[in-house]
Amino acid sequence: MTATTSAQSLSPLSTELRAAALAALERLGATVPEAAEDAGIAVHSPLSGERIATVRRDGAEETRAAVGQAAEAFTTWRSVPAPARGHVIKRFGELLAEHKADLAELVTIEAGKITSEALGEVQEMIDICDYALGLSRSISGRTVPSERPGHRLMETWHPLGVVGVISAFNFPVAVWSWNTAVALVCGDTVVWKPSEKTLLSAIGSAALLDRALVEAGYPSEISRLVLGELEAGEALVADERVALLSATGSERMGAAVAPVVAGRMGRYLLELGGNNAAVITPSADLDLTTRGVVFSAAGTAGQRCTTLRRLIVHSSIVDDVVARLVRAYEGLPIGDPRTDGTLVGPLVDAGSAERMARSLAEARADGGEVLVGGGEVTVDGAPEATYVAPAIVRMPAQTAVVRRETFAPVLYVMTYDELDEAIALHNDVPQGLSSSIFTLDAREAERFLSEAGSDCGIANVNIGTSGAEIGGAFGGEKSTGGGRESGSDAWKQYMRRATNTINYSTELPLAQGVNFG
Ligand code: UN1
């Protein structure tokens, strides 16, 4: 490893962050391909707002080479028995458990998550490994009655090929692992293009998977990492050898990716923007509701795709709900995410803060009233970092700014009188990821979960919109992209289905009674 980010140019905080990141990577057994400052990709830490490293930049050519290696590795990996593939994932999970703190530290340094949430992200990786291990012994097709005597009709599932994974900064490692653990037990190989904002976390986690593969005697080409930007992403999306492209990011990114993959008849799995809402009804337990709302709206500094962005509150309780939330927001500890007790860390970069400020200005122009937060917060020793106070805005209507996802902690509050009105308002946004209702009334809860209720991929009762477990299928409808990752039967997207008809009779009866001579 050559240190090309000159120590003199770093502030004391950035020096400390760089040293901590490099030490964590060393413990993870990872080598950082550092590049000259003007040649590579700059890695910033949101904790200092400054560059802490410069990493090699892979372009289209390197991406195509990685896909070629993964395609070659597929020809052997696909024939390894699924339970044996599961053992590699089991080992990967063990390594993740052993290095949980190291990887979480990198996630905190690069994505700005508080330590507890960063540890939670790594736990989510361990959980999906457990899940995928079980899957490796339970993937199964079915047998269907044949209309012909002496015939068997059945379905079998086979590996698909190379899976391309494009992941976002806010879950820099967990989302890759959902895709990778499942894809690998399904017999696919993976090429990963992580967010250019979180390359060190990616390098650290990929090193652990490499170790699990190599220890078991398999080639590390089964899983490839591409350290690139737009050019690398475009090459991955366009490559015909990528059978499934799984991408997490903005609605704009998804709208660019989908036509390219569809145009080459590839498959895509998209997990895009969310504009998640909670309906709060008069019977809600307001202590529990307040806690659920604050975690989902202000947690991760509003930077989850599942972050709660809209509250639709019954007009009879809105003043009480708002007063409780404002009180809770006023007491939110904002600051260095490594410090015990901090609940809100920095935004990923200054661009996020600018977009938040623009959205707040637009909300005000629409008649919105900012009840708490919204401003930048200065944190000692980190003058270049971007910390903000999570905001609550009372809106007279669901205007354009509310219908758009702003990836920052802004919670819009609107009111309703009849549940039908609340559900209509809830669904009247382009996105359809996650949703909640807070109620103790079973009829209201069931209506929200019914076909005439929330139109989202995730609909909860008496918990917030974020923090899903890996066992369920994760994803959403409408402009969220329609994909499902992680648990349940999401594995089917990573495999191809074959329908087999086997004739074990001495006759050749044709289906549909056709007589052919
Ligand atoms: C994301 O923000 O892209 O449900 C994923 C949650 C997490 C995953 C979020 N388990 O909030």
Side-chain angles (χ1 to χ4, degrees):
M1 180 171 36
T2 46
T4 47
T5 298
S6 62
Q8 294 91 324
S9 64
L10 294 180
S11 65
L13 177 55
S14 289
T15 306
E16 181 194 331
L17 292 167
R18 175 181 162 79
L22 294 181
L25 282 159
E26 204 171 315
R27 291 193 296 275
L28 288 160
T31 318
V32 188
E34 290 210 82
E37 277 199 23
D38 52 357
I41 306 177
V43 174
H44 292 89
S45 172
L47 276 60
S48 66
E50 294 165 337
R51 178 196 296 236
I52 56 163
T54 309
V55 169
R56 179 190 82 212
R57 178 185 282 110
D58 292 333
E61 201 180 310
E62 290 81 7
T63 304
R64 282 194 286 270
V67 174
Q69 290 171 336
E72 173 63 29
F74 175 65
T75 59
T76 48
W77 184 242
R78 68 182 169 195
S79 300
V80 172
R85 298 193 295 246
H87 274 128
V88 174
I89 294 304
K90 179 179 178 216
R91 178 68 184 136
F92 178 43
E94 287 166 2
L95 290 170
L96 286 167
E98 201 179 301
H99 290 281
K100 190 171 174 182
D102 297 328
L103 205 47
E105 191 173 2
L106 288 172
V107 170
T108 293
I109 291 173
E110 279 189 314
K113 284 191 191 189
I114 61 169
T115 299
S116 170
E117 289 196 57
L119 288 167
E121 169 154 9
V122 183
Q123 185 58 47
E124 200 160 347
M125 303 174 83
I126 298 166
D127 294 345
I128 196 73
C129 289
D130 283 356
Y131 187 85
L133 175 63
L135 199 59
S136 74
R137 287 195 182 262
S138 60
I139 287 169
S140 52
R142 52 166 142 183
T143 305
V144 180
S146 169
E147 66 190 50
R148 288 171 278 188
H151 282 60
R152 180 153 59 90
L153 188 54
M154 66 175 192
E155 272 181 8
T156 47
W157 291 88
H158 304 286
L160 201 56
V162 178
V163 175
V165 178
I166 295 179
S167 59
F169 82 86
N170 67 326
F171 271 81
V173 288
V175 171
W176 163 71
S177 73
W178 299 348
N179 281 280
T180 301
V182 172
L184 257 50
V185 300
C186 288
D188 302 322
T189 54
V190 176
V191 178
W192 179 22
K193 196 211 89 63
S195 162
E196 53 269 27
K197 295 190 170 114
T198 50
L199 297 176
L200 303 181
S201 308
I203 291 167
S205 14
L208 293 185
L209 179 56
D210 274 6
R211 204 162 120 198
L213 283 165
V214 171
E215 267 180 22
Y218 298 110
S220 62
E221 284 77 9
I222 287 167
S223 157
R224 297 278 79 182
L225 174 63
V226 171
L227 302 170
E229 295 166 309
L230 186 64
E231 186 186 314
E234 285 177 349
L236 190 62
V237 169
D239 200 311
E240 288 179 359
R241 295 166 297 178
V242 175
L244 170 69
L245 195 282
S246 175
T248 304
S250 66
E251 291 157 84
R252 210 167 56 126
M253 181 273 282
V257 163
V260 178
V261 181
R264 59 175 177 80
M265 297 297 166
R267 286 192 200 175
Y268 54 76
L269 192 175
L270 299 175
E271 201 253 286
L272 310 172
N275 195 350
N276 317 299
V279 174
I280 306 181
T281 75
S283 69
D285 170 342
L286 291 188
D287 286 338
L288 179 149
T289 302
T290 306
R291 281 187 284 137
V293 167
V294 175
F295 170 67
S296 279
T300 335
Q303 300 172 110
R304 288 193 191 212
C305 57
T306 49
T307 289
L308 178 56
R309 308 199 180 282
R310 300 178 293 138
L311 273 192
I312 303 166
V313 189
H314 194 269
S315 54
S316 64
I317 52 165
V318 68
D319 291 338
D320 190 6
V321 168
V322 161
R324 287 166 182 258
L325 289 172
V326 167
R327 238 187 345 265
Y329 268 51
E330 280 168 353
L332 280 174
I334 303 168
D336 190 320
R338 299 170 301 173
T339 306
D340 251 6
T342 298
L343 292 181
V344 180
L347 288 183
V348 73
D349 56 25
S352 292
E354 277 160 32
R355 283 187 289 278
M356 174 169 166
R358 271 205 302 276
S359 290
L360 288 175
E362 193 177 329
R364 281 195 184 96
D366 289 344
E369 187 193 347
V370 179
L371 303 174
V372 65
E376 292 206 18
V377 174
T378 312
V379 168
D380 281 351
E384 303 300 322
T386 316
Y387 287 85
V388 293
I392 299 178
V393 189
R394 181 85 184 257
M395 292 300 292
Q398 187 156 269
T399 59
V401 66
V402 182
R403 299 179 75 252
R404 212 169 59 220
E405 180 191 47
T406 301
F407 217 60
V410 179
L411 179 64
Y412 300 107
V413 180
M414 294 161 293
T415 56
Y416 79 94
D417 292 311
E418 297 297 329
L419 189 58
D420 284 345
E421 194 192 326
I423 292 172
L425 198 58
H426 176 278
N427 292 344
D428 185 24
V429 291
Q431 310 81 359
L433 179 57
S434 187
S435 58
S436 304
I437 189 166
F438 287 90
T439 181
L440 298 182
D441 179 329
R443 287 181 183 153
E444 288 180 334
E446 292 293 339
R447 261 170 78 196
F448 187 73
L449 301 182
S450 78
E451 68 290 341
S454 159
D455 62 3
C456 290
I458 300 170
N460 298 331
V461 178
N462 291 330
I463 67 161
T465 52
S466 62
E469 303 175 17
I470 55 87
F474 183 90
E477 303 301 330
K478 304 194 288 184
S479 72
T480 302
R484 293 295 187 278
E485 293 171 301
S486 166
S488 185
D489 63 354
W491 61 270
K492 289 183 175 172
Q493 291 162 107
Y494 300 80
M495 301 198 89
R496 67 179 170 83
R497 177 199 324 240
T499 302
N500 312 125
T501 309
I502 299 143
N503 178 4
Y504 57 93
S505 75
T506 54
E507 305 298 318
L508 192 68
L510 300 179
Q512 295 89 42
V514 170
N515 192 345
F516 199 72

